[in-house]
Amino acid sequence: MPTARRQISQKLIADEAGVSQATVSLVLSGRNVSSDNTRKRILEAAERLKYRPNLLVQGIQTGKTKMIGVMMPPYDFFWSEILYGIHDVLAAADHVPIMLWTSHRGPSPRKRNAPDGNELEQIHRLIDRRVDGVILWPPFASLFSDHVHEFSSRELPIVTIDHELPAEFRADFVGSEDHVGGRLVADYLLSLGHRRFGHIAGSSVATWAVQRRQSFDETVARIPNAKFKTLEAPPGDDYTLAIEQARALLALPDRPTAIFAATDLYAKQVYRAAAELGLRVPQDLSVVGYADDDFAEEMWPALTTVRQPAYEMGRKAAEIVLGRSTGKLSQKVPIKARLPVQLITRESAAAPPPSSGNGNGRAKSKSP
Amino acid sequence: MPTARRQISQKLIADEAGVSQATVSLVLSGRNVSSDNTRKRILEAAERLKYRPNLLVQGIQTGKTKMIGVMMPPYDFFWSEILYGIHDVLAAADHVPIMLWTSHRGPSPRKRNAPDGNELEQIHRLIDRRVDGVILWPPFASLFSDHVHEFSSRELPIVTIDHELPAEFRADFVGSEDHVGGRLVADYLLSLGHRRFGHIAGSSVATWAVQRRQSFDETVARIPNAKFKTLEAPPGDDYTLAIEQARALLALPDRPTAIFAATDLYAKQVYRAAAELGLRVPQDLSVVGYADDDFAEEMWPALTTVRQPAYEMGRKAAEIVLGRSTGKLSQKVPIKARLPVQLITRESAAAPPPSSGNGNGRAKSKSP
DNA sequence: TTGTAGGCGTTATCAC
DNA sequence: GTGATAACGCCTACAA
C-alpha cells in the first residue's frame, strides 16, 4: 500500500524491480541497452503500476516541454482548418498545442472580435509554462507586436501566419501567395469586361491585406481606362465596418461594377449591401471574395473566390516551430513560406451590365 | 553577465536583493507580509530581471498545473462557440486549455471525421503533462469510453459535453435540454399539420441523439394518426451517411412530409436529397434542424432549427472542471447541467402539401 | 551494465 | 519576518 497521495514515480518502479532509480530512467527512455533481465523487470513493473512519465519534470530538466503556444481562435472555417493542420503535425511529433487568444468571440453577427486587454497576460501564461515556441494569428501579431517582444527577447521561436513581422523579431512566416491572389482576381474581372472596381481591403497594417490590395491595384492600374476605389479599415474590428464600406462603394457616383472583397466575410457584407439597393449579383454587380471559406459555395449566388491551402498552411507553421525548437531547422534568416493560391470560379462574377458605361463584356472588351 | 543559458530564477532575485530564495518565494506569491523594505527590493529586482515564474516547477510542487485538457476539435460553428466559452472561463481563472482531438478533420465535404487510432496516445499526452482536468466532446466520450478510464482511474475531473458517461466514470456533464428540443420540434410540425415524419437521428450511442429522438418520437406517437420513421447511424462517421439516410426517407412509399434532422449538418443533407428529387422546401417538404449552426440562417430557405446556448455551455463546462480541480465544487454526485433550448422558426417548415394525404394545414388539423 | 550524487526551480516546514 | 533545509520527480555526469 503506497503512502498517501504520492505519484507513481521512477523511484517506485526502482524499488519494485530492485534497481536504482537512475537505471529506471535509462531503461524507460531507451537510452540504455541494459541486460535483458533488469530491463524486463523494469518494464513490467512500470506496466503493472501504470506508470506515466512526468513531462513537467522532464521539461525543467531538458528545457523542452513539447508544448507549443498557439495564439489563434477557431475564428471561422479558414482558421479552424489551420488549427487542424497545426494540431495534426504537433500530435505526430508528440507535442501539444496550448490554444489561447485575446478576443472574446469570433465573426458572424452573433460574435465580436475585439481585443480584450489581456494580451500580455495570455502571453505570460505561455511563457510561464515554458512553451517551446509560438504560432500567432495576424490580428494578434499586427496589433500587439510590442507584446511579442516578450517572446523574441526570450528567444522563443515565433511563426506568424498571414502577417509578416518586422525583421527585428526574427520570426518565421507562413502565408499564401497574396501577391498573386490579387492579380488573379483583377485579371479575371478585367477579362469579364469590368473597368470600374471597388475594393474592401481590410486592415492597412496587416500584410495579407496589403499584398492582396497591391497586387490587385497594380494589375488594374495597368489598364488605361480602368478606375478603382479602395477602402481600408483601421486596425481592429474590421468586420462590422465592411458593411458600411460596401454601402459606401455602392453609393459612389461612378458605381463600381465589380467589388473585390479581401475576405469572404467582407464579400458576404457586399451581398447584403447590394441587396439593400436591389442590385443583383452578378447581373448588376460582380463580387469576388478571398479565402474560400466553407460558406462561400453556399452563398447565393455561389461566391467566386481565391482559395488558400489553409490546412497545409497550418501544417507548415507547425513544422517550422518544431524545426526551430528541435534545432533541426538551422536556417538563420527567417523563413517566409508562401503556399500557392487558386481562383475558384463560381457564380458571383459575370460581365458588367451593358448600361454601365464602361467595359461591356468579353466580346467588346478590347474596343473602348 | 549571467552564466550560460540559465533561467532567471528566484535564486537570482534573492542574490540581487540580498535575501534568501525562500523569502523571494514568499514575497512573490504574496503569502507573506514581509517588511516593506525587503518586499520592495525583491519586487524591483524581479521586475528588472524580467522574472517569470516557472509553472512547471510550481506544478510538480503543488500538484496543480493550471492546464485543462480539452479533447474537442473546432469542428464547426457550434463547437467553436463552445471552445470560446471554455477558453474565456479558463483564461479568467488563469488557466490554459490544451486542445487535442483524435480525428484528422472536421465536417463539410472537404473534411472527414474518422477516429485515427491515436486516442490513447492523446490521452497520455494530457496525463503526462499533468492536466488538472479534462473536457470531452461527445464522439470521443462515446466511442472511446474505455480509454476514458485512464482519466477516471487517476481521479482526474472529467466533464463531458452533450453526452452522458455511465456512472462509474463519476464524470460531470453539460448539455442542453435535448429532451425538450425534440418535443418542441414535434409540437411545431404537428401544429403545422404534418402527420408523416422522418427523423435522421445520429449515433445511437450518443446521448444527445438518443434524447432528441426520444422526445420527438414520444410526442409524435401521442397523435393517433401520425407515423414516423427514424434512421439511426452506427457509431462513427455519421455525416456522410446522412445524405443516404435522407434519400432513403424520401424514397419511402409513404413519403414523410417533414423531416427532423438531429443536427443542422444533417439538415443540409436533407436539402440536397430533396433537391435531387425536385422537392421544394418547404412547399413539398418541411425540414427542421438542430443546433442553429452559423450557416443555418443562410441556408436557402433559412433553416428552422433548435438553438442551444453553445457559448454558455462551454463556460459551464469550464466552470465545473475548475470547481472540481480547486475543490470549490464539492458536490459528490456527478453534476448534470442542462441549459435551455429555443426553437428558432425560419422558413424551412410549413404546412404539408395538400396532396399529401394526411394532415393538411393548421386550419383542418383538428378534424381528421 | 548499474549505482551514487548533484541539480533543475519551486513550495513547504520548520526553526531562528 | 526570514532563512535553512527537505522535498517534488527526473536527468545526467561520474563512479563503480
Side-chain angles (χ1 to χ4, degrees):
Chain A
M1 222 136 310
T3 51
R5 265 231 130 302
R6 181 77 141 280
Q7 284 200 33
I8 288 152
S9 64
Q10 296 187 343
K11 179 80 182 69
L12 254 182
I13 298 180
D15 294 346
E16 284 273 318
V19 295
S20 78
Q21 174 269 322
T23 304
V24 175
S25 173
L26 290 179
V27 168
L28 290 184
S29 63
R31 270 169 302 165
N32 192 347
V33 208
S34 301
S35 70
D36 281 2
N37 190 350
T38 58
R39 166 187 216 68
K40 216 178 85 179
R41 294 209 313 283
I42 291 177
L43 259 21
E44 284 177 356
E47 174 88 359
R48 185 162 8 103
L49 297 174
K50 292 193 174 301
Y51 169 80
R52 280 275 97 202
N54 188 329
L55 288 201
L56 301 176
V57 178
Q58 247 174 255
I60 80 175
Q61 284 289 144
T62 64
K64 296 296 178 186
T65 57
K66 298 192 172 188
M67 304 195 290
I68 300 295
V70 179
M71 304 196 84
M72 186 185 305
Y75 188 78
D76 58 14
F77 174 77
F78 178 73
W79 292 101
S80 291
E81 282 291 291
I82 288 186
L83 288 177
Y84 274 97
I86 292 173
H87 170 273
D88 289 356
V89 167
L90 290 187
D94 196 26
H95 283 233
V96 300
I98 295 183
M99 294 188 187
L100 294 182
W101 50 91
T102 62
S103 53
H104 279 310
R105 313 294 292 278
S108 102
R110 297 202 211 120
K111 300 190 188 182
R112 294 178 302 114
N113 177 33
D116 58 8
N118 295 328
E119 299 76 25
L120 236 195
E121 292 179 27
Q122 292 292 58
I123 287 183
H124 283 162
R125 292 199 178 97
L126 294 178
I127 292 178
D128 294 355
R129 286 165 181 83
R130 303 299 190 264
V131 294
D132 294 338
V134 293
I135 301 177
L136 308 179
W137 87 311
F140 187 87
S142 61
L143 295 179
F144 309 107
S145 55
D146 326 1
H147 296 334
V148 176
H149 276 119
E150 294 281 322
F151 293 131
S152 53
S153 70
R154 284 159 224 263
E155 298 183 39
L156 265 174
I158 302 171
V159 178
T160 61
I161 297 190
D162 259 6
H163 176 77
E164 288 189 53
L165 245 25
E168 47 173 315
F169 291 97
R170 321 204 81 260
D172 296 311
F173 163 86
V174 172
S176 54
E177 299 171 326
D178 289 315
H179 57 292
V180 173
R183 177 167 55 71
L184 288 179
V185 174
D187 282 341
Y188 178 63
L189 289 174
L190 285 167
S191 78
L192 288 175
H194 292 274
R195 290 299 181 270
R196 289 204 311 275
F197 304 93
H199 179 33
I200 298 180
S203 168
S204 56
V205 299
T207 57
W208 60 263
V210 172
Q211 298 206 1
R212 288 172 201 177
R213 170 190 179 160
Q214 282 181 351
S215 60
F216 180 78
D217 287 0
E218 283 173 18
T219 309
V220 170
R222 283 208 198 90
I223 306 303
N225 58 341
K227 302 180 192 175
F228 58 91
K229 171 79 174 179
T230 295
L231 259 30
E232 285 180 340
D237 184 356
D238 46 13
Y239 177 71
T240 52
L241 185 59
I243 179 74
E244 297 168 28
Q245 296 187 315
R247 291 188 186 119
L249 288 175
L250 295 181
L252 249 29
D254 244 12
R255 187 169 63 218
T257 59
I259 291 185
F260 171 35
T263 74
D264 288 349
L265 240 30
Y266 299 165
K268 209 186 255 183
Q269 302 292 48
V270 176
Y271 275 38
R272 296 221 169 109
E276 289 171 2
L277 297 177
L279 294 174
R280 296 161 303 165
V281 177
Q283 296 88 335
D284 303 321
L285 178 72
S286 288
V287 180
V288 177
Y290 207 107
D292 196 23
D293 241 310
D294 60 345
F295 57 79
E297 68 176 328
E298 290 164 15
M299 284 171 70
W300 206 80
L303 183 68
T304 290
T305 185
V306 177
R307 177 179 298 168
Q308 304 166 280
Y311 180 75
E312 291 303 330
M313 288 169 65
R315 291 191 64 97
K316 188 74 181 177
E319 284 162 5
I320 294 177
V321 244
L322 287 179
R324 292 297 187 191
S325 167
T326 61
K328 285 176 187 165
L329 190 55
S330 51
Q331 174 184 327
K332 274 257 172 183
V333 26
I335 295 174
K336 306 294 179 191
R338 296 192 169 279
L339 307 194
V341 297
Q342 181 187 3
L343 182 70
I344 306 292
T345 308
R346 288 198 271 250
E347 290 142 35
S348 64
S355 61
S356 66
N358 65 171
N360 41 12
R362 188 192 303 266
K364 299 187 179 178
S365 69
K366 286 181 180 174
S367 56
Chain B
M1 223 133 312
T3 50
R5 265 229 132 302
R6 181 77 137 277
Q7 285 201 35
I8 289 151
S9 63
Q10 297 187 343
K11 179 81 182 69
L12 255 181
I13 298 180
D15 294 347
E16 286 273 319
V19 294
S20 79
Q21 175 268 324
T23 303
V24 175
S25 174
L26 289 179
V27 168
L28 290 184
S29 63
R31 271 169 301 163
N32 192 347
V33 210
S34 300
S35 70
D36 281 3
N37 189 351
T38 58
R39 164 185 217 67
K40 217 180 86 179
R41 294 210 314 281
I42 290 176
L43 259 21
E44 284 177 358
E47 173 88 359
R48 185 160 10 100
L49 297 175
K50 291 193 177 301
Y51 168 80
R52 279 275 98 201
N54 188 329
L55 289 201
L56 301 176
V57 178
Q58 239 174 262
I60 80 174
Q61 281 293 140
T62 64
K64 296 296 178 187
T65 56
K66 298 191 172 190
M67 303 193 292
I68 300 295
V70 178
M71 304 197 83
M72 185 185 306
Y75 188 77
D76 57 14
F77 174 77
F78 177 72
W79 292 101
S80 292
E81 282 292 290
I82 289 186
L83 289 177
Y84 274 98
I86 293 173
H87 171 274
D88 289 357
V89 167
L90 291 187
D94 195 27
H95 283 233
V96 300
I98 295 183
M99 294 188 187
L100 294 182
W101 51 91
T102 62
S103 53
H104 279 311
R105 313 294 292 279
S108 102
R110 298 202 209 120
K111 301 188 183 182
R112 291 178 305 115
N113 176 34
D116 59 9
N118 296 328
E119 298 78 24
L120 237 195
E121 291 179 27
Q122 293 292 59
I123 287 183
H124 283 162
R125 291 197 178 98
L126 294 179
I127 292 178
D128 294 355
R129 287 166 181 84
R130 302 298 189 262
V131 293
D132 294 337
V134 293
I135 301 176
L136 308 179
W137 86 311
F140 189 86
S142 61
L143 295 179
F144 308 108
S145 54
D146 325 1
H147 296 336
V148 176
H149 275 119
E150 294 281 322
F151 293 131
S152 53
S153 69
R154 284 158 223 263
E155 298 182 40
L156 265 174
I158 303 171
V159 178
T160 61
I161 297 189
D162 259 6
H163 177 77
E164 289 189 53
L165 244 25
E168 46 173 316
F169 292 97
R170 319 205 82 258
D172 295 311
F173 162 86
V174 172
S176 54
E177 299 171 324
D178 289 316
H179 57 292
V180 172
R183 178 167 55 74
L184 287 179
V185 174
D187 282 341
Y188 177 62
L189 290 174
L190 285 167
S191 77
L192 288 175
H194 292 274
R195 291 298 180 271
R196 288 204 313 272
F197 305 93
H199 179 32
I200 297 180
S203 168
S204 55
V205 299
T207 57
W208 59 264
V210 171
Q211 297 206 0
R212 288 172 201 177
R213 172 194 177 159
Q214 283 180 352
S215 60
F216 180 77
D217 287 1
E218 283 172 16
T219 309
V220 170
R222 282 206 199 91
I223 307 303
N225 58 341
K227 301 181 192 174
F228 58 90
K229 171 79 175 179
T230 296
L231 294 181
E232 286 180 339
D237 185 356
D238 47 11
Y239 177 71
T240 52
L241 186 59
I243 179 75
E244 298 168 27
Q245 296 186 316
R247 290 187 187 121
L249 288 175
L250 296 181
L252 249 30
D254 244 11
R255 187 167 63 215
T257 58
I259 291 185
F260 171 34
T263 75
D264 288 350
L265 241 31
Y266 299 165
K268 209 186 254 181
Q269 302 293 46
V270 176
Y271 275 39
R272 297 220 169 111
E276 289 171 3
L277 297 177
L279 294 173
R280 297 161 301 165
V281 176
Q283 297 88 335
D284 303 321
L285 178 72
S286 288
V287 180
V288 177
Y290 207 107
D292 195 22
D293 241 309
D294 59 346
F295 58 79
E297 69 177 325
E298 289 164 15
M299 284 171 68
W300 205 78
L303 183 68
T304 289
T305 186
V306 177
R307 178 179 296 167
Q308 304 166 279
Y311 179 75
E312 291 304 329
M313 288 170 63
R315 292 192 64 98
K316 188 72 181 177
E319 284 162 6
I320 293 177
V321 242
L322 288 179
R324 292 297 188 188
S325 166
T326 60
K328 284 175 189 166
L329 190 54
S330 51
Q331 175 183 329
K332 273 257 169 181
V333 26
I335 295 174
K336 307 293 178 190
R338 296 193 169 279
L339 307 194
V341 297
Q342 180 186 5
L343 182 70
I344 305 293
T345 308
R346 287 198 273 249
E347 291 142 36
S348 63
S355 61
S356 66
N358 66 172
N360 41 10
R362 187 191 305 264
K364 299 186 181 178
S365 69
K366 286 182 181 174
S367 56

